[in-house]
Amino acid sequence: SCGVLSESITLPGDLNSDGTCVTIGANDIILDCNNKKITYGKGPSNNVYGVNINKFNNTIVKNCNIIKANSNTINTVGIFLNLSKDNNITNNNIITNGSDNFGIFILNSSNNSVSYNIINVSNFLDSNGIYLQSYAYDNNIKYNTIETYGESGTAIRMWDNVYGNNISYNRLKTFQIYAFGFDVGSNIYNNTFS
């Protein structure tokens, strides 16, 4: 069931939550979804996550199908990293919808690997596939496929003191008006794009 995860697990079945589903509760956790679904945000609450990695390190999240259920809520994230490092987010399929929502949000976090994920963002306004903000540095963002649908959708956005990241070999598609493959804000430096 959804809740705090304090030991590694291979999911035997799908998980569903009205709010946040999985909260990582220790270092060195492996969450292998085994291609099962994590459905989060079924209820009316904003600010909820499919997987929340907050102040823990060396987490692996792989083989997950992460789906946001309620398109009427805002500020929701498929996988959220905050004050966290040395995590590996790989081979996940993330589907989000609504305004101000994010596939993967990396905040104040470093030395993370985000690779081989498929992220689909359908939005009413201002949503992002991968968002790096506020001292997100030395992260590797590689081989992801990101599609955004809706006004002001951005595949990869970097904002406010983001540096030293390697963003390479990603496939980006944006549809609708004011949509961007990349959006770069203030104090963005020493990042590599290819």
Side-chain angles (χ1 to χ4, degrees):
S1 63
C2 293
V4 177
L5 186 62
S6 297
E7 59 184 21
S8 296
I9 188 172
T10 299
L11 289 186
D14 297 339
L15 300 178
N16 296 276
S17 176
D18 286 342
T20 295
C21 188
V22 177
T23 299
I24 300 300
N27 293 321
D28 306 311
I29 296 295
I30 300 173
L31 170 59
D32 183 350
C33 290
N34 192 29
N35 296 312
K36 302 299 190 294
K37 293 179 183 177
I38 292 177
T39 303
Y40 70 102
K42 295 175 70 177
S45 297
N46 301 319
N47 306 304
V48 297
Y49 315 111
V51 178
N52 182 14
I53 307 171
N54 186 19
K55 300 180 182 177
F56 290 106
N57 306 313
N58 200 35
T59 302
I60 298 173
V61 179
K62 63 181 181 178
N63 305 322
C64 297
N65 292 294
I66 300 174
I67 302 166
K68 180 192 172 190
N70 187 348
S71 64
N72 294 317
T73 57
I74 62 172
N75 294 325
T76 62
V77 185
I79 300 176
F80 182 56
L81 290 79
N82 181 42
L83 296 170
S84 188
K85 63 182 181 179
D86 301 321
N87 302 291
N88 186 1
I89 311 300
T90 189
N91 198 39
N92 301 289
N93 188 358
I94 301 171
I95 300 173
T96 71
N97 53 66
S99 296
D100 296 311
N101 72 95
F102 309 87
I104 298 173
F105 194 147
I106 302 173
L107 177 66
N108 289 306
S109 297
S110 63
N111 202 37
N112 299 290
S113 175
V114 177
S115 62
Y116 298 102
N117 301 286
I118 299 172
I119 302 171
N120 186 304
V121 178
S122 298
N123 62 291
F124 303 128
L125 184 66
D126 196 28
S127 296
N128 305 273
I130 298 176
Y131 190 36
L132 297 95
Q133 184 182 13
S134 298
Y135 300 100
Y137 63 93
D138 294 340
N139 299 289
N140 286 294
I141 313 295
K142 294 183 176 180
Y143 301 107
N144 301 285
T145 298
I146 304 170
E147 296 187 359
T148 68
Y149 301 84
E151 186 174 349
S152 300
T154 303
I156 298 176
R157 176 171 286 175
M158 306 168 72
W159 206 262
D160 187 25
N161 290 299
V162 174
Y163 54 91
N165 299 285
N166 186 347
I167 299 176
S168 303
Y169 311 112
N170 298 285
R171 183 179 179 186
L172 312 177
K173 291 184 179 181
T174 59
F175 303 88
Q176 199 48 275
I177 60 172
Y178 307 119
F180 305 96
F182 284 99
D183 185 18
V184 178
S186 60
N187 295 318
I188 308 300
Y189 55 93
N190 294 337
N191 296 284
T192 301
F193 299 90
S194 63

